[in-house]
Amino acid sequence: MKSNTPLDIRKLQDFSRLLGSAAMHSEISYDVQQMHKETLRSSVLNSTLPNSLLGGQPVGKVIQRGHYTPLSVNAYDGDRARVNKADWEALEDVISREFPPGSEGRRLVLYGGVGMGKTTAVEKVIWDWTAGTRLQHYTLLMRVPVWELATLEAKAESLQSMLGRIYTHISTEILSDALRRPQSLLLVLDGLEQLQHLLCTPSSSSICDVQEEATGSVLLHSLLHGSLLAEASMLITSREPVQSLRCFEVVGFSQTQRRTFFQQFFSEGGQAERLFRQCEQVLGVYEQCFRPAFCWTLCNVFKTQLESKNTPPETLTHLLCIITHMLLQNQKMHAEQTRALLTSLGKLPDQSGLGSFLHHPVLSAFLCISGDVASPDTTFSFLSPVMQEFLLAASFYLDQSVLEISDKRSDLYYTFLAGLSDSVQCKPIEDYVGKFDESRMSVFSQWLVGHASRVLQDGDVTKHYCVFRLLQHARNSSLVKESISKSLLKAWCYRSMQEPDCAALSYVVSCVGEMEDMNLYRADLTSEQAEKLIPALRLSKSIGLSQSCLSLAAVTHLSTALADGRTVTLDLSHSRLEKESVKTLFHALSRSALESLNLCGCSLAPADCEALAQMLSGGSRLRVLSLRGTDVEDQGFIHLSSALENCRLLEIDLSLCSLTAASIPALSSALNSGFSELRKLNLNQNTVTDDGMELISQVLTKGRLNSLNVSDCELTGSCCSSLAAALQSENCRLSELNLSINELGQSGALQICEALMSPKCTLEILEMSRCELTEEVFRALRSVLTSGVSKLIRLSLGVNSVGDAGAKHIWEALRHKHCKLQYLDLDMVSLTDACVEDLCESVAASSTLSTLILKNNVMTDSSVPRLVKLMLDRPQMAELNLQYNDFSEDVFELMDTCQNIVY
């Protein structure tokens, strides 16, 4: 017989646990278990929770009528700020996973705020166990009532004794046997927050015997930390996570679960879906309707408004005003009483103002009252945390003694302050308390203007969103204009927005009238967010979406905004676009005001280039287009070239597009047609080769281009003859030419120099870095610069190792009165300290030079004093760049004396 592997041993252990569980079942008769289940079922059905607008339905009714809607939970990892919807799980799945058959000693905490549905969820777990549908591997499921533990402060009692008092239908013998075999027990502690005073009480002792008497604090600590009934499993609910235990936050309803809740509340399916969508659109409601209790209240309000044919709520504030109206309408209180009541409620936990209302039934509509109202130990808590914040804000408008607005309240408080400043939203509550004081409205408006001004000048954009929401809730366009200037909106990047933030930003921009720059750098826009942003996008002159992730649906909404908006500049560089997105975008751009489009680093297929060509030749106003790094390849570029003779493009960047000389004939044909408006062409880092350059040179003779970049295009000196001829031709209008990183060599470069000597040559900017230039070429350039014919004002000659001898020719040219150079780049040409005196004399003599780049040379500390003196004596020099020379830290302080030296 083979020995067991470790896996086999684990299986045997699991089987042993199951056998143990079966043995436990045999100790408790079927009749006893059924009696216990029936008792628990009755306790669920006979829940004492009232049926109220704010407090919700009794748990028994929810479950009995089949209206229970599953909740979502999120595993607690110690960081409550990191709540990602992608990590949400169904509570039922978590319960099944955390309490599998054969497990023992599991302790699971479900935590969350008031109204999150914790108690209802736990009662549903109990109900399912009694119905035989879930967790049947537990022989007994028993509540450990928290109020029983709370009473054991001054006296002591054993756990077995306490459970015996509660479950009188289970005999002492059977209960004792059950507690001796705790692996098949599931204990439920609902409402651990009620024992906060016990949790906070240090307990140096613990017990392990269920028959040992102890105080509530010791019993609680022993149960939670496993010294008592270590093998029993426990399901716990609390307002806060419990350290050292497995915790899941109850995050309420997902959107799908909310929809299910509405479908169960409203019997007619079409009406349920219509009202669900309507509720989701109510300003401020979306952020609150994850709470099951809030959803219950919301559905009741909409049902009442629908039945009475009244206008449904338009904002969260309006909703709370209607709810307050509904709670007060049958109370027969005059305005002064109602005002006093709401003011007193707004001041809780200060109970001094509630004296005249302590025995009034209206209190139970707003509050949960624990104990005798006449007792000083009575506690009052709001049935709804949302209502609590609302009444606190309302008390500001009702109570003249509140002189100023605190900066340390919750976001909800400020939201309600804003909403209540609008006469339309607060009308339902004013019907009972009278008109709000105009002076209070003025105080709030002044506060909001000052608050917005402070926040929007700070870089914390999450606070910007809060300001935008406040302005949106106030629904006062004049207040928006007073609070926000156009300059405050253009300086920040708004990328990490939720849907409500997008809607609020759109509202603000709509009130202001336009936005200079909508910066959404690295945004991950969903369809819903993009749709909310449409009004703001329409009014933005420039939209920045660089390095963003956009779905097809998001691009569709963006296209809608562009088609009839004011945007003239759109940056989508390095963004991830789904298939068909580019076609959708190009279709919209043919009728937009867009003039500049950056698609650098986006992936374009040949079919996309065909759509781009159709857009360009179909009435587009586009003047500047960047396709850098899009790998359009020859096939795509040939499609695109067909549109160049028929569009308004002035500039196109095709660098790093995997082009070869095979696509240049199509380009040449388009530019030679006589209809092209193209003036700036960038072909950097493509395989143009000499053959392609020959065709481009022909284009130059027709005077089509002003700027040409063919750096790193695998050119050699062989192409320089035709290029030089083009530069000297009658019609050439080229003013900027970049030939860097090509093997032109001495012979090719000398031909370019010869062309520069022609009066017909119009070049003003020439770049020939890393072109294998020699001292002879530098000598020829001296002649060019001193000829009086050359128009060159910028010259880049870096990475040509000519040393001091070659550079000497350029220094001589700088001293000449005909030299017009304003910018000179001699990066990495092997300059030493020996050239510094010559260099300084030449720069001092030049009447035009303002920028000199001398990076990556081999000058040392000894050169620094002379260079610093040069810059101090010549304030018209804007920059001397000395980075990456052989300087030590000893001269850094000296160079710091001149702010125009970069080192």
Side-chain angles (χ1 to χ4, degrees), residues 660-670 695:
T660 71
S663 59
I664 302 301
L667 170 66
S668 175
S669 174
L695 294 173

Side-chain angles (χ1 to χ4, degrees), residues 604-883:
L604 297 186
D608 295 326
C609 292
E610 192 171 352
L612 175 56
Q614 290 173 358
M615 179 266 287
L616 289 172
S617 56
S620 165
R621 301 181 191 179
L622 209 61
R623 308 294 273 176
V624 179
L625 175 62
S626 175
L627 298 175
R628 176 181 174 83
T630 53
D631 285 332
V632 298
E633 301 183 337
D634 291 336
Q635 182 184 355
F637 184 49
I638 289 170
H639 283 307
L640 187 57
S641 295
S642 64
L644 292 180
E645 60 185 87
N646 222 344
C647 70
R648 300 182 183 183
L649 270 187
L650 293 176
E651 301 180 17
I652 187 167
D653 183 352
L654 292 160
S655 52
L656 270 171
C657 281
S658 303
L659 306 181
T660 71
S663 59
I664 302 301
L667 170 66
S668 175
S669 174
L671 297 182
N672 282 327
S673 66
F675 298 104
S676 172
E677 297 183 28
L678 196 69
R679 294 296 176 262
K680 187 171 184 177
L681 175 62
N682 187 348
L683 292 170
N684 166 247
Q685 289 181 279
N686 288 294
T687 313
V688 175
T689 71
D690 294 339
D691 291 340
M693 194 62 212
E694 293 275 352
L695 294 173
I696 293 172
S697 296
Q698 293 175 22
V699 171
L700 295 179
T701 63
K702 302 295 178 65
R704 303 297 178 216
L705 296 175
N706 295 331
S707 174
L708 175 64
N709 185 342
V710 284
S711 62
D712 200 5
C713 284
E714 299 189 17
L715 307 181
T716 70
S718 300
C719 72
C720 290
S721 176
S722 59
L723 176 57
L727 293 174
Q728 300 174 74
S729 64
E730 190 72 35
N731 295 319
C732 181
R733 296 291 179 269
L734 198 68
S735 61
E736 182 177 351
L737 176 61
N738 189 341
L739 294 169
S740 297
I741 320 177
N742 287 299
E743 297 179 4
L744 303 184
Q746 178 172 296
S747 61
L750 288 175
Q751 292 180 75
I752 302 299
C753 291
E754 184 179 346
L756 293 172
M757 296 288 284
S758 168
K760 296 178 182 178
C761 181
T762 55
L763 272 187
E764 296 179 357
I765 299 172
L766 176 62
E767 298 184 44
M768 289 198 297
S769 297
R770 218 183 90 181
C771 285
E772 300 187 0
L773 306 185
T774 62
E775 182 182 347
E776 192 62 33
V777 175
F778 275 61
R779 180 180 287 108
L781 285 170
R782 179 193 63 187
S783 299
V784 169
L785 294 171
T786 59
S787 65
V789 174
S790 168
K791 301 175 179 62
L792 285 179
I793 58 173
R794 289 176 64 99
L795 181 61
S796 296
L797 301 170
V799 203
N800 291 292
S801 189
V802 296
D804 295 339
K808 182 176 182 179
H809 300 293
I810 305 301
W811 307 145
E812 291 174 0
L814 284 178
R815 287 196 288 264
H816 200 280
K817 62 181 180 179
H818 288 153
C819 181
K820 302 181 179 67
L821 282 186
Q822 299 172 12
Y823 177 99
L824 175 62
D825 182 353
L826 292 174
D827 175 15
M828 201 181 289
V829 295
S830 302
L831 299 181
T832 70
D833 296 331
C835 77
V836 170
E837 194 58 41
D838 242 1
L839 178 163
C840 291
E841 290 178 3
S842 300
V843 171
S846 171
S847 61
T848 57
L849 192 70
S850 62
T851 302
L852 178 59
I853 309 299
L854 299 177
K855 295 189 299 182
N856 294 297
N857 285 292
V858 289
M859 291 181 286
T860 67
D861 291 1
S862 62
S863 299
V864 172
R866 184 68 181 91
L867 292 169
V868 170
K869 183 177 186 305
L870 166 70
M871 293 298 289
L872 292 174
D873 292 345
R874 188 173 170 77
Q876 59 266 49
M877 278 291 290
E879 180 184 348
L880 172 62
N881 193 322
L882 298 172
Q883 289 178 305

Side-chain angles (χ1 to χ4, degrees), residues 329-389:
Q329 62 185 351
N330 297 321
Q331 299 302 324
K332 297 180 181 179
M333 299 166 61
H334 56 72
E336 285 305 316
Q337 279 184 301
T338 307
R339 182 181 285 259
L341 169 67
L342 298 186
T343 301
S344 299
L345 287 171
K347 291 181 177 180
L348 279 178
D350 178 10
Q351 300 170 15
S352 59
L354 288 177
S356 59
F357 301 102
L358 285 178
H359 299 283
H360 200 293
V362 71
L363 276 192
S364 61
F366 293 92
L367 303 174
C368 176
I369 304 170
S370 299
D372 183 355
V373 292
S375 169
D377 296 327
T378 302
T379 59
F380 299 87
S381 58
F382 278 92
L383 292 170
S384 164
V386 180
M387 176 58 77
Q388 181 177 7
E389 295 298 319

Side-chain angles (χ1 to χ4, degrees), residues 381-523:
S381 58
F382 278 92
L383 292 170
S384 164
V386 180
M387 176 58 77
Q388 181 177 7
E389 295 298 319
F390 171 77
L391 291 175
L392 180 62
S395 68
F396 168 80
Y397 291 103
L398 297 171
D399 185 2
Q400 296 290 333
S401 67
V402 182
L403 299 178
E404 59 183 28
I405 298 172
S406 169
D407 288 330
K408 298 179 180 179
R409 299 290 188 186
S410 70
D411 290 343
L412 259 183
Y413 169 73
Y414 300 115
T415 295
F416 289 132
L417 277 182
L420 288 169
S421 70
D422 175 24
S423 59
V424 175
Q425 297 182 64
C426 68
K427 186 179 185 309
I429 197 173
E430 284 185 331
D431 289 345
Y432 286 97
V433 300
K435 284 283 186 182
F436 285 176
D437 193 325
E438 289 292 334
S439 66
R440 308 303 285 167
M441 305 284 196
S442 178
V443 170
F444 169 74
S445 296
Q446 291 171 15
W447 174 84
L448 183 54
V449 170
H451 179 67
S453 177
R454 290 189 300 273
V455 167
L456 294 178
Q457 292 182 47
D458 184 72
D460 187 349
V461 294
T462 57
K463 293 182 179 178
H464 293 204
Y465 303 151
C466 292
V467 167
F468 296 156
R469 291 197 198 188
L470 290 183
L471 291 167
Q472 186 187 22
H473 277 272
R475 301 204 304 183
N476 185 333
S477 60
S478 298
L479 189 59
V480 175
K481 292 174 184 176
E482 189 178 355
S483 303
I484 295 179
S485 69
K486 296 174 185 177
S487 61
L488 288 176
L489 283 178
K490 69 180 182 181
W492 308 107
C493 174
Y494 296 126
R495 67 180 180 204
S496 302
M497 290 189 286
Q498 303 301 315
E499 286 177 47
D501 302 324
C502 297
L505 178 58
S506 283
Y507 172 80
V508 168
V509 173
S510 297
C511 291
V512 173
E514 68 176 25
M515 190 167 185
E516 192 69 29
D517 181 16
M518 173 71 79
N519 185 352
L520 300 171
Y521 169 71
R522 296 189 71 179

Side-chain angles (χ1 to χ4, degrees), residues 108-208:
L108 178 67
V109 178
L110 303 176
Y111 75 92
V114 175
M116 295 305 297
K118 304 183 297 298
T119 294
T120 303
V122 167
E123 294 295 295
K124 182 63 165 61
V125 170
I126 295 172
W127 181 269
D128 288 346
W129 180 79
T130 65
T133 58
R134 301 184 63 198
L135 301 176
Q136 294 306 290
H137 48 286
Y138 292 110
T139 306
L140 286 180
L141 185 154
M142 307 178 79
R143 287 195 186 91
V144 180
V146 294
W147 65 85
E148 292 286 351
L149 289 173
T151 60
L152 297 179
E153 293 186 40
K155 61 180 181 177
E157 186 177 12
S158 71
L159 179 64
Q160 181 171 322
S161 172
M162 183 179 71
L163 292 176
R165 283 192 296 103
I166 298 166
Y167 299 106
T168 56
H169 57 278
I170 301 178
S171 70
T172 303
E173 293 77 19
I174 292 176
L175 178 60
S176 179
D177 285 343
L179 293 175
R180 281 199 298 271
R181 297 180 176 86
Q183 64 269 21
S184 285
L185 287 180
L186 176 60
L187 303 180
V188 175
L189 273 77
D190 182 25
L192 198 61
E193 68 279 353
Q194 298 176 48
L195 302 178
Q196 192 63 38
H197 62 293
L198 297 184
L199 288 171
C200 297
T201 303
S203 178
S204 57
S205 61
S206 60
I207 62 172
C208 57

